[in-house]
Amino acid sequence: MSETFQAPRGTRDIFPPESDRWRALAAAFADHVSLAGYGQVIPPMFEDLAVFSRVGESTDVVRKEMFVLAARDGEAHQALRPEQTASVCRMFAQHRPPLPWKAWYAGPNFRYEKPQKGRYRQFDQVGLEVLGPDDADVDVEVIALAWRFYERVGLRQVRLLLNSLGDGPGRVRYVEALRVHFGAHLDALSEASRETLAQNPLRVLDSKRPEDAALVAAAPQLADYLSEPDAEHFARVRRGLDALGIPYQLEPRLVRGLDYYTRTTFEFAADALDAAQNAVGGGGRYDGLVADLGGPAVPGVGFALGVDRILLACDAEGAFPPPRAGVEVFVVSTTPGTEAVELCDELRRAGVRVDRAFDGRSMKSQMKAADRSGAVVALLIGDREAAERVVTMRPMHGGEQRTVGRDDVLRELRPMLDGPSGADH
Ligand code: HAM
């Protein structure tokens, strides 16, 4: 007996109608952001390791979760992308499209995480990045596009968490203050956080370990260290969100899982999901990343939304049902000729969704298949129909069966079909 295989741990096989829903979600996102002038980019799924190292040497994403590719020479130079912001910035640094550059993307990312519901080793994101302006209005545009997208798919229980990480000298002073604060209580810190402290004190704020909770709560607040321009930038972001009526929760300890952020950072929490996996999206500003990747000093801001988690949240809230899929017409043929092959081809070329049975099955078995297909009309071709060049049209949900000329099928069919398929999203 040959070996049987299963999808790798942390991955999922997705079938219809769930796959129809995925496609509809990506299509809705494409439409949503193209309204705001974003163009799609398709970066490769792997890059030089160094591109992703810029995401943060002190992050779990880089240190523990990277799918590093084994090269033929035994040296590891490349890795599967854990996210796409770094790839988009690398694209910019390499090709230098004109600024401002507004790009969106969709596709899978890979992180070697401990799999559980809502946390996978291959997961999909839709996202966007704006390179060029450091105007706070762009931060507002980006956050608003994400917020309105959740609204568009019908999610109601999403909260926006907002913070500013500052930049420049204010940030340096804050990091130093954190180093002093945590350094004074080293014994009370978890071992993992002591290690993190040595690399990036900001990241200690992200610790979820209970033994760190008290020290994290007592840590200095970044708001007290923001420079004048950073504070003004953040105030303008908040004013913009207020003006749009987008509610937010200030979250002074929101540092996010990647190291490139400066100034505005945000995350979206879906209350319908378990707290451990309730982040359905996140993003922020990264004014130094393009330069880190060898490009010019160009600021950037963007977000990525987790498709898997958005759909889980939709399940929990009863939102975003799968679009109507399947066929409209089913051809049932009991003749040995090529009538069914020709009829299917003609109707499909005219944009009608048609399926048929194969293997010369019985009329009864084909009618069962027609029933299962969800078709509105069955087109029957028996020996008599073939000989007379006619087709019998049988409405599947009640109504008179009738026979029409072979050349009139399409015209007679039109009024029985109800327009283009697919739910509106
Ligand atoms: P991130 O917070 O690492 O940010 O990921 C964004 C979203 O992807 C998360 O909120 C979550 O919904 C989803 N996600 C992340 N990891 C997993 C996983 N293992 N399983 C399922 N879903 C997951 C970024 O990736 C940044 N590139 C966002 C960004 C864009 N910042 C600026 N521009």
mmCIF file of all heavy atoms in Angstrom, residues 91-106:
data_model
loop_
_atom_site.group_PDB
_atom_site.id
_atom_site.type_symbol
_atom_site.label_atom_id
_atom_site.label_comp_id
_atom_site.label_asym_id
_atom_site.label_seq_id
_atom_site.Cartn_x
_atom_site.Cartn_y
_atom_site.Cartn_z
ATOM 1 N N MET A 91 11.300 46.250 -3.207
ATOM 2 C CA MET A 91 10.877 46.538 -4.584
ATOM 3 C C MET A 91 11.088 48.006 -4.906
ATOM 4 O O MET A 91 11.551 48.371 -5.980
ATOM 5 C CB MET A 91 9.371 46.234 -4.763
ATOM 6 C CG MET A 91 9.024 44.799 -5.021
ATOM 7 S SD MET A 91 7.220 44.570 -5.011
ATOM 8 C CE MET A 91 6.832 44.732 -6.734
ATOM 9 N N PHE A 92 10.688 48.854 -3.951
ATOM 10 C CA PHE A 92 10.829 50.290 -4.177
ATOM 11 C C PHE A 92 12.293 50.674 -4.326
ATOM 12 O O PHE A 92 12.674 51.378 -5.267
ATOM 13 C CB PHE A 92 10.187 51.109 -3.048
ATOM 14 C CG PHE A 92 10.413 52.569 -3.234
ATOM 15 C CD1 PHE A 92 9.612 53.296 -4.100
ATOM 16 C CD2 PHE A 92 11.482 53.205 -2.607
ATOM 17 C CE1 PHE A 92 9.860 54.645 -4.341
ATOM 18 C CE2 PHE A 92 11.740 54.546 -2.835
ATOM 19 C CZ PHE A 92 10.919 55.267 -3.703
ATOM 20 N N ALA A 93 13.108 50.184 -3.392
ATOM 21 C CA ALA A 93 14.535 50.547 -3.420
ATOM 22 C C ALA A 93 15.180 50.089 -4.724
ATOM 23 O O ALA A 93 16.050 50.768 -5.272
ATOM 24 C CB ALA A 93 15.254 49.924 -2.219
ATOM 25 N N GLN A 94 14.722 48.968 -5.239
ATOM 26 C CA GLN A 94 15.304 48.426 -6.474
ATOM 27 C C GLN A 94 14.813 49.156 -7.720
ATOM 28 O O GLN A 94 15.584 49.454 -8.620
ATOM 29 C CB GLN A 94 14.974 46.932 -6.571
ATOM 30 C CG GLN A 94 15.535 46.270 -7.814
ATOM 31 C CD GLN A 94 15.241 44.775 -7.855
ATOM 32 O OE1 GLN A 94 14.887 44.166 -6.850
ATOM 33 N NE2 GLN A 94 15.382 44.185 -9.026
ATOM 34 N N HIS A 95 13.514 49.474 -7.791
ATOM 35 C CA HIS A 95 12.944 49.983 -9.045
ATOM 36 C C HIS A 95 12.624 51.473 -9.045
ATOM 37 O O HIS A 95 12.358 52.041 -10.096
ATOM 38 C CB HIS A 95 11.670 49.203 -9.401
ATOM 39 C CG HIS A 95 11.884 47.722 -9.510
ATOM 40 N ND1 HIS A 95 12.448 47.142 -10.609
ATOM 41 C CD2 HIS A 95 11.619 46.707 -8.645
ATOM 42 C CE1 HIS A 95 12.516 45.828 -10.432
ATOM 43 N NE2 HIS A 95 12.023 45.537 -9.235
ATOM 44 N N ARG A 96 12.563 52.058 -7.848
ATOM 45 C CA ARG A 96 12.298 53.503 -7.710
ATOM 46 C C ARG A 96 11.101 54.016 -8.502
ATOM 47 O O ARG A 96 11.259 54.927 -9.351
ATOM 48 C CB ARG A 96 13.537 54.312 -8.121
ATOM 49 C CG ARG A 96 14.813 53.899 -7.446
ATOM 50 C CD ARG A 96 14.823 54.345 -5.997
ATOM 51 N NE ARG A 96 15.974 53.767 -5.316
ATOM 52 C CZ ARG A 96 17.115 54.410 -5.098
ATOM 53 N NH1 ARG A 96 17.246 55.652 -5.451
ATOM 54 N NH2 ARG A 96 18.096 53.819 -4.474
ATOM 55 N N PRO A 97 9.928 53.478 -8.318
ATOM 56 C CA PRO A 97 8.745 54.075 -8.962
ATOM 57 C C PRO A 97 8.538 55.496 -8.429
ATOM 58 O O PRO A 97 9.044 55.831 -7.355
ATOM 59 C CB PRO A 97 7.604 53.150 -8.533
ATOM 60 C CG PRO A 97 8.098 52.474 -7.293
ATOM 61 C CD PRO A 97 9.591 52.384 -7.406
ATOM 62 N N PRO A 98 7.820 56.347 -9.193
ATOM 63 C CA PRO A 98 7.635 57.733 -8.745
ATOM 64 C C PRO A 98 6.854 57.816 -7.432
ATOM 65 O O PRO A 98 5.989 56.986 -7.173
ATOM 66 C CB PRO A 98 6.834 58.379 -9.885
ATOM 67 C CG PRO A 98 6.533 57.317 -10.878
ATOM 68 C CD PRO A 98 7.190 56.054 -10.477
ATOM 69 N N LEU A 99 7.185 58.840 -6.658
ATOM 70 C CA LEU A 99 6.520 59.057 -5.367
ATOM 71 C C LEU A 99 5.388 60.064 -5.536
ATOM 72 O O LEU A 99 5.485 60.931 -6.391
ATOM 73 C CB LEU A 99 7.538 59.601 -4.359
ATOM 74 C CG LEU A 99 8.654 58.607 -3.977
ATOM 75 C CD1 LEU A 99 9.708 59.310 -3.136
ATOM 76 C CD2 LEU A 99 8.056 57.430 -3.215
ATOM 77 N N PRO A 100 4.352 60.027 -4.729
ATOM 78 C CA PRO A 100 4.094 58.979 -3.740
ATOM 79 C C PRO A 100 3.722 57.674 -4.424
ATOM 80 O O PRO A 100 3.080 57.681 -5.471
ATOM 81 C CB PRO A 100 2.905 59.534 -2.949
ATOM 82 C CG PRO A 100 2.222 60.475 -3.873
ATOM 83 C CD PRO A 100 3.285 61.036 -4.767
ATOM 84 N N TRP A 101 4.127 56.603 -3.799
ATOM 85 C CA TRP A 101 3.870 55.281 -4.357
ATOM 86 C C TRP A 101 2.859 54.567 -3.469
ATOM 87 O O TRP A 101 3.106 54.367 -2.283
ATOM 88 C CB TRP A 101 5.172 54.490 -4.426
ATOM 89 C CG TRP A 101 5.057 53.211 -5.210
ATOM 90 C CD1 TRP A 101 4.450 53.050 -6.421
ATOM 91 C CD2 TRP A 101 5.573 51.920 -4.839
ATOM 92 N NE1 TRP A 101 4.567 51.731 -6.831
ATOM 93 C CE2 TRP A 101 5.250 51.022 -5.882
ATOM 94 C CE3 TRP A 101 6.286 51.443 -3.736
ATOM 95 C CZ2 TRP A 101 5.606 49.677 -5.846
ATOM 96 C CZ3 TRP A 101 6.651 50.105 -3.710
ATOM 97 C CH2 TRP A 101 6.303 49.235 -4.760
ATOM 98 N N LYS A 102 1.706 54.224 -4.049
ATOM 99 C CA LYS A 102 0.640 53.573 -3.281
ATOM 100 C C LYS A 102 0.440 52.169 -3.838
ATOM 101 O O LYS A 102 -0.007 52.016 -4.972
ATOM 102 C CB LYS A 102 -0.665 54.375 -3.398
ATOM 103 C CG LYS A 102 -0.556 55.779 -2.785
ATOM 104 C CD LYS A 102 -1.810 56.604 -3.082
ATOM 105 C CE LYS A 102 -2.768 56.609 -1.922
ATOM 106 N NZ LYS A 102 -3.936 57.499 -2.152
ATOM 107 N N ALA A 103 0.810 51.167 -3.048
ATOM 108 C CA ALA A 103 0.802 49.786 -3.542
ATOM 109 C C ALA A 103 -0.040 48.899 -2.621
ATOM 110 O O ALA A 103 -0.025 49.081 -1.399
ATOM 111 C CB ALA A 103 2.228 49.255 -3.588
ATOM 112 N N TRP A 104 -0.787 47.984 -3.226
ATOM 113 C CA TRP A 104 -1.482 46.988 -2.391
ATOM 114 C C TRP A 104 -1.077 45.596 -2.827
ATOM 115 O O TRP A 104 -0.553 45.410 -3.929
ATOM 116 C CB TRP A 104 -3.003 47.155 -2.438
ATOM 117 C CG TRP A 104 -3.691 46.767 -3.723
ATOM 118 C CD1 TRP A 104 -3.949 47.582 -4.780
ATOM 119 C CD2 TRP A 104 -4.227 45.483 -4.081
ATOM 120 N NE1 TRP A 104 -4.608 46.886 -5.776
ATOM 121 C CE2 TRP A 104 -4.786 45.592 -5.378
ATOM 122 C CE3 TRP A 104 -4.301 44.237 -3.439
ATOM 123 C CZ2 TRP A 104 -5.402 44.523 -6.044
ATOM 124 C CZ3 TRP A 104 -4.912 43.166 -4.089
ATOM 125 C CH2 TRP A 104 -5.453 43.312 -5.374
ATOM 126 N N TYR A 105 -1.308 44.620 -1.960
ATOM 127 C CA TYR A 105 -0.901 43.245 -2.255
ATOM 128 C C TYR A 105 -1.829 42.270 -1.553
ATOM 129 O O TYR A 105 -2.562 42.628 -0.617
ATOM 130 C CB TYR A 105 0.548 43.000 -1.806
ATOM 131 C CG TYR A 105 0.827 43.441 -0.385
ATOM 132 C CD1 TYR A 105 0.547 42.625 0.707
ATOM 133 C CD2 TYR A 105 1.349 44.713 -0.130
ATOM 134 C CE1 TYR A 105 0.800 43.042 2.004
ATOM 135 C CE2 TYR A 105 1.599 45.141 1.164
ATOM 136 C CZ TYR A 105 1.318 44.298 2.235
ATOM 137 O OH TYR A 105 1.545 44.725 3.510
ATOM 138 N N ALA A 106 -1.787 41.032 -2.008
ATOM 139 C CA ALA A 106 -2.562 39.962 -1.379
ATOM 140 C C ALA A 106 -1.778 38.681 -1.576
ATOM 141 O O ALA A 106 -1.163 38.503 -2.630
ATOM 142 C CB ALA A 106 -3.932 39.843 -2.053
#
